[in-house]
Amino acid sequence: MSKTLVIIPHYNKLILLKECLYHLQQQSYDDFDVLVVDNGSEDGSSEYISKLSNSDNNFHCILLSDNTGFAYAVNKGLRYSIDNGYKYSILLNNDAYVEDDFVKELVATIRSRDNYFAVSSMMINYHDKDLIDSYGDNYSILGWSMQGHVGEEVDSINYNEYCFSACAGAAIYRNAILEKIGLFDENFFAYLEDIDISYRAKLYGYSIGACFTARCYHLGSATSGSKYNEFKVRTSARNNIYLIYKNMPFVQILINIFPLFVGMVIKQVFFSMKGFGLDYFFGVFDGFKTLGRIKANDFKNINPFEFVKIEIELIINAFKYVINFLKRHSK
């Protein structure tokens, strides 16, 4: 049996899935299986996936009756991967088209360090293939997540590096560590759940890498429909409250309360200018209102030194965000 399972959470957009699967078939590395978790699609996807599953022993499917959200669908796939003895799980969006060495390079990189929980790929802007869409994700003391090296030239990055979080749109995870720290938090439904699980892994001393030779071309928001919309803004704002509450002990929240507040104010102004001010406001409100359903990490079992390392990284990432922002808007 293969040691790696590629998991594709899918909802409608069958044309995207077909293209995604086509590129997986061109891989130079063949020691992997594919699992599509269909989230209650209504465009003929389930019938197409079922036929593939019946005709190909390396292709599997899970058909859900309703749209349960990204986190739930991914967890179904990860649980299948773990229960069936796979060592690694690659999460791949249906709107990401991989290069021929994608799987081989991700597997080689995560194997290179036992401490790697996950390794993110280099996601390239499909519409401008000279520009990076995401090379790992970062999270800052302002409470902002950011796509690593977004908008920078693809050719400017020729090295692997560490990052704060693997982008679950195209990344590999080590199943043994997932069993230790738990799967994605389904309360998030969609957005920031990959930052949350990477944050949790870092609290327990694991590292996140990014592999520049594992490349894919990302359409971006092809399934959700747009870069900003009411659902995305409101859900992301709510989930950011969850993220902070779950991963920062009370003392750390107190230390960071001012930059976190400033970050929220800036976001409120930004989304108000985009026409989504009320959506952001009520997303934050929803986050505080529903905190009772969220369980924070057990901080007693975490080495205090890990909080210090993460705090330093959060500060550095705020400066990285500003520098990248200025670079992109000075062109």
PDB file of all heavy atoms in Angstrom, residues 222-240:
ATOM      1  N   ALA A 222     -11.600  30.061  -6.134  1.00  0.00           N
ATOM      2  CA  ALA A 222     -12.428  29.529  -7.220  1.00  0.00           C
ATOM      3  C   ALA A 222     -13.668  28.824  -6.689  1.00  0.00           C
ATOM      4  O   ALA A 222     -14.721  28.836  -7.323  1.00  0.00           O
ATOM      5  CB  ALA A 222     -11.611  28.569  -8.080  1.00  0.00           C
ATOM      6  N   THR A 223     -13.557  28.199  -5.515  1.00  0.00           N
ATOM      7  CA  THR A 223     -14.708  27.502  -4.940  1.00  0.00           C
ATOM      8  C   THR A 223     -15.611  28.453  -4.172  1.00  0.00           C
ATOM      9  O   THR A 223     -16.836  28.412  -4.288  1.00  0.00           O
ATOM     10  CB  THR A 223     -14.230  26.362  -4.012  1.00  0.00           C
ATOM     11  OG1 THR A 223     -13.447  25.442  -4.788  1.00  0.00           O
ATOM     12  CG2 THR A 223     -15.402  25.630  -3.406  1.00  0.00           C
ATOM     13  N   SER A 224     -15.004  29.350  -3.384  1.00  0.00           N
ATOM     14  CA  SER A 224     -15.813  30.290  -2.596  1.00  0.00           C
ATOM     15  C   SER A 224     -16.388  31.403  -3.448  1.00  0.00           C
ATOM     16  O   SER A 224     -17.378  32.023  -3.086  1.00  0.00           O
ATOM     17  CB  SER A 224     -14.972  30.880  -1.458  1.00  0.00           C
ATOM     18  OG  SER A 224     -13.885  31.624  -1.969  1.00  0.00           O
ATOM     19  N   GLY A 225     -15.739  31.694  -4.605  1.00  0.00           N
ATOM     20  CA  GLY A 225     -16.331  32.642  -5.547  1.00  0.00           C
ATOM     21  C   GLY A 225     -15.661  33.980  -5.643  1.00  0.00           C
ATOM     22  O   GLY A 225     -15.723  34.632  -6.669  1.00  0.00           O
ATOM     23  N   SER A 226     -15.008  34.474  -4.588  1.00  0.00           N
ATOM     24  CA  SER A 226     -14.373  35.784  -4.655  1.00  0.00           C
ATOM     25  C   SER A 226     -13.392  35.944  -3.511  1.00  0.00           C
ATOM     26  O   SER A 226     -13.460  35.218  -2.524  1.00  0.00           O
ATOM     27  CB  SER A 226     -15.428  36.901  -4.589  1.00  0.00           C
ATOM     28  OG  SER A 226     -16.151  36.833  -3.371  1.00  0.00           O
ATOM     29  N   LYS A 227     -12.480  36.916  -3.650  1.00  0.00           N
ATOM     30  CA  LYS A 227     -11.491  37.153  -2.608  1.00  0.00           C
ATOM     31  C   LYS A 227     -12.162  37.608  -1.325  1.00  0.00           C
ATOM     32  O   LYS A 227     -11.794  37.173  -0.222  1.00  0.00           O
ATOM     33  CB  LYS A 227     -10.483  38.191  -3.078  1.00  0.00           C
ATOM     34  CG  LYS A 227      -9.344  38.425  -2.100  1.00  0.00           C
ATOM     35  CD  LYS A 227      -8.306  39.363  -2.671  1.00  0.00           C
ATOM     36  CE  LYS A 227      -7.142  39.546  -1.688  1.00  0.00           C
ATOM     37  NZ  LYS A 227      -6.117  40.475  -2.215  1.00  0.00           N
ATOM     38  N   TYR A 228     -13.141  38.511  -1.446  1.00  0.00           N
ATOM     39  CA  TYR A 228     -13.893  38.973  -0.282  1.00  0.00           C
ATOM     40  C   TYR A 228     -15.385  38.770  -0.541  1.00  0.00           C
ATOM     41  O   TYR A 228     -15.886  39.110  -1.612  1.00  0.00           O
ATOM     42  CB  TYR A 228     -13.636  40.462  -0.015  1.00  0.00           C
ATOM     43  CG  TYR A 228     -12.190  40.809   0.249  1.00  0.00           C
ATOM     44  CD1 TYR A 228     -11.507  41.681  -0.586  1.00  0.00           C
ATOM     45  CD2 TYR A 228     -11.512  40.252   1.330  1.00  0.00           C
ATOM     46  CE1 TYR A 228     -10.173  41.999  -0.349  1.00  0.00           C
ATOM     47  CE2 TYR A 228     -10.191  40.561   1.574  1.00  0.00           C
ATOM     48  CZ  TYR A 228      -9.520  41.436   0.732  1.00  0.00           C
ATOM     49  OH  TYR A 228      -8.201  41.746   0.966  1.00  0.00           O
ATOM     50  N   ASN A 229     -16.070  38.213   0.408  1.00  0.00           N
ATOM     51  CA  ASN A 229     -17.524  38.118   0.364  1.00  0.00           C
ATOM     52  C   ASN A 229     -18.035  38.094   1.802  1.00  0.00           C
ATOM     53  O   ASN A 229     -17.241  37.951   2.744  1.00  0.00           O
ATOM     54  CB  ASN A 229     -17.989  36.889  -0.431  1.00  0.00           C
ATOM     55  CG  ASN A 229     -17.426  35.580   0.108  1.00  0.00           C
ATOM     56  OD1 ASN A 229     -17.678  35.215   1.248  1.00  0.00           O
ATOM     57  ND2 ASN A 229     -16.641  34.880  -0.719  1.00  0.00           N
ATOM     58  N   GLU A 230     -19.328  38.252   1.979  1.00  0.00           N
ATOM     59  CA  GLU A 230     -19.890  38.369   3.326  1.00  0.00           C
ATOM     60  C   GLU A 230     -19.551  37.166   4.193  1.00  0.00           C
ATOM     61  O   GLU A 230     -19.135  37.312   5.351  1.00  0.00           O
ATOM     62  CB  GLU A 230     -21.415  38.532   3.231  1.00  0.00           C
ATOM     63  CG  GLU A 230     -21.845  39.844   2.589  1.00  0.00           C
ATOM     64  CD  GLU A 230     -23.350  39.947   2.445  1.00  0.00           C
ATOM     65  OE1 GLU A 230     -24.057  39.042   2.948  1.00  0.00           O
ATOM     66  OE2 GLU A 230     -23.827  40.919   1.835  1.00  0.00           O
ATOM     67  N   PHE A 231     -19.722  35.969   3.631  1.00  0.00           N
ATOM     68  CA  PHE A 231     -19.465  34.750   4.408  1.00  0.00           C
ATOM     69  C   PHE A 231     -17.997  34.653   4.806  1.00  0.00           C
ATOM     70  O   PHE A 231     -17.673  34.354   5.964  1.00  0.00           O
ATOM     71  CB  PHE A 231     -19.873  33.526   3.588  1.00  0.00           C
ATOM     72  CG  PHE A 231     -19.481  32.220   4.231  1.00  0.00           C
ATOM     73  CD1 PHE A 231     -20.216  31.712   5.289  1.00  0.00           C
ATOM     74  CD2 PHE A 231     -18.372  31.514   3.775  1.00  0.00           C
ATOM     75  CE1 PHE A 231     -19.858  30.515   5.888  1.00  0.00           C
ATOM     76  CE2 PHE A 231     -17.999  30.316   4.369  1.00  0.00           C
ATOM     77  CZ  PHE A 231     -18.748  29.815   5.425  1.00  0.00           C
ATOM     78  N   LYS A 232     -17.108  34.902   3.870  1.00  0.00           N
ATOM     79  CA  LYS A 232     -15.673  34.764   4.135  1.00  0.00           C
ATOM     80  C   LYS A 232     -15.197  35.770   5.178  1.00  0.00           C
ATOM     81  O   LYS A 232     -14.455  35.420   6.104  1.00  0.00           O
ATOM     82  CB  LYS A 232     -14.886  34.937   2.840  1.00  0.00           C
ATOM     83  CG  LYS A 232     -13.397  34.683   2.973  1.00  0.00           C
ATOM     84  CD  LYS A 232     -12.722  34.732   1.610  1.00  0.00           C
ATOM     85  CE  LYS A 232     -11.232  34.422   1.728  1.00  0.00           C
ATOM     86  NZ  LYS A 232     -10.577  34.432   0.389  1.00  0.00           N
ATOM     87  N   VAL A 233     -15.623  37.020   5.044  1.00  0.00           N
ATOM     88  CA  VAL A 233     -15.186  38.056   5.981  1.00  0.00           C
ATOM     89  C   VAL A 233     -15.718  37.772   7.380  1.00  0.00           C
ATOM     90  O   VAL A 233     -14.971  37.835   8.368  1.00  0.00           O
ATOM     91  CB  VAL A 233     -15.654  39.456   5.498  1.00  0.00           C
ATOM     92  CG1 VAL A 233     -15.403  40.510   6.574  1.00  0.00           C
ATOM     93  CG2 VAL A 233     -14.928  39.836   4.214  1.00  0.00           C
ATOM     94  N   ARG A 234     -16.992  37.446   7.460  1.00  0.00           N
ATOM     95  CA  ARG A 234     -17.593  37.210   8.782  1.00  0.00           C
ATOM     96  C   ARG A 234     -17.014  35.962   9.441  1.00  0.00           C
ATOM     97  O   ARG A 234     -16.678  35.984  10.643  1.00  0.00           O
ATOM     98  CB  ARG A 234     -19.110  37.074   8.641  1.00  0.00           C
ATOM     99  CG  ARG A 234     -19.837  36.926   9.975  1.00  0.00           C
ATOM    100  CD  ARG A 234     -21.324  37.192   9.826  1.00  0.00           C
ATOM    101  NE  ARG A 234     -22.013  37.087  11.114  1.00  0.00           N
ATOM    102  CZ  ARG A 234     -23.204  37.623  11.358  1.00  0.00           C
ATOM    103  NH1 ARG A 234     -23.834  38.302  10.426  1.00  0.00           N
ATOM    104  NH2 ARG A 234     -23.772  37.494  12.549  1.00  0.00           N
ATOM    105  N   THR A 235     -16.866  34.878   8.671  1.00  0.00           N
ATOM    106  CA  THR A 235     -16.345  33.628   9.241  1.00  0.00           C
ATOM    107  C   THR A 235     -14.888  33.779   9.664  1.00  0.00           C
ATOM    108  O   THR A 235     -14.474  33.296  10.727  1.00  0.00           O
ATOM    109  CB  THR A 235     -16.488  32.479   8.225  1.00  0.00           C
ATOM    110  OG1 THR A 235     -17.853  32.367   7.822  1.00  0.00           O
ATOM    111  CG2 THR A 235     -16.042  31.161   8.836  1.00  0.00           C
ATOM    112  N   SER A 236     -14.081  34.448   8.847  1.00  0.00           N
ATOM    113  CA  SER A 236     -12.673  34.644   9.182  1.00  0.00           C
ATOM    114  C   SER A 236     -12.514  35.497  10.434  1.00  0.00           C
ATOM    115  O   SER A 236     -11.656  35.219  11.281  1.00  0.00           O
ATOM    116  CB  SER A 236     -11.933  35.298   8.005  1.00  0.00           C
ATOM    117  OG  SER A 236     -11.927  34.463   6.871  1.00  0.00           O
ATOM    118  N   ALA A 237     -13.347  36.543  10.557  1.00  0.00           N
ATOM    119  CA  ALA A 237     -13.281  37.404  11.741  1.00  0.00           C
ATOM    120  C   ALA A 237     -13.640  36.615  13.001  1.00  0.00           C
ATOM    121  O   ALA A 237     -12.976  36.736  14.038  1.00  0.00           O
ATOM    122  CB  ALA A 237     -14.224  38.591  11.573  1.00  0.00           C
ATOM    123  N   ARG A 238     -14.671  35.807  12.911  1.00  0.00           N
ATOM    124  CA  ARG A 238     -15.056  34.963  14.056  1.00  0.00           C
ATOM    125  C   ARG A 238     -13.955  33.982  14.410  1.00  0.00           C
ATOM    126  O   ARG A 238     -13.578  33.818  15.577  1.00  0.00           O
ATOM    127  CB  ARG A 238     -16.334  34.196  13.706  1.00  0.00           C
ATOM    128  CG  ARG A 238     -16.850  33.305  14.834  1.00  0.00           C
ATOM    129  CD  ARG A 238     -17.749  32.203  14.313  1.00  0.00           C
ATOM    130  NE  ARG A 238     -16.997  31.241  13.492  1.00  0.00           N
ATOM    131  CZ  ARG A 238     -17.567  30.212  12.863  1.00  0.00           C
ATOM    132  NH1 ARG A 238     -18.874  30.030  12.945  1.00  0.00           N
ATOM    133  NH2 ARG A 238     -16.835  29.378  12.150  1.00  0.00           N
ATOM    134  N   ASN A 239     -13.406  33.333  13.385  1.00  0.00           N
ATOM    135  CA  ASN A 239     -12.397  32.301  13.616  1.00  0.00           C
ATOM    136  C   ASN A 239     -11.107  32.870  14.191  1.00  0.00           C
ATOM    137  O   ASN A 239     -10.372  32.170  14.897  1.00  0.00           O
ATOM    138  CB  ASN A 239     -12.106  31.551  12.322  1.00  0.00           C
ATOM    139  CG  ASN A 239     -13.252  30.646  11.904  1.00  0.00           C
ATOM    140  OD1 ASN A 239     -14.215  30.477  12.643  1.00  0.00           O
ATOM    141  ND2 ASN A 239     -13.153  30.071  10.724  1.00  0.00           N
ATOM    142  N   ASN A 240     -10.814  34.128  13.899  1.00  0.00           N
ATOM    143  CA  ASN A 240      -9.612  34.727  14.460  1.00  0.00           C
ATOM    144  C   ASN A 240      -9.732  34.884  15.977  1.00  0.00           C
ATOM    145  O   ASN A 240      -8.749  34.746  16.706  1.00  0.00           O
ATOM    146  CB  ASN A 240      -9.326  36.084  13.812  1.00  0.00           C
ATOM    147  CG  ASN A 240      -7.919  36.547  14.091  1.00  0.00           C
ATOM    148  OD1 ASN A 240      -6.959  35.788  13.978  1.00  0.00           O
ATOM    149  ND2 ASN A 240      -7.775  37.811  14.481  1.00  0.00           N
TER     150      ASN A 240
END
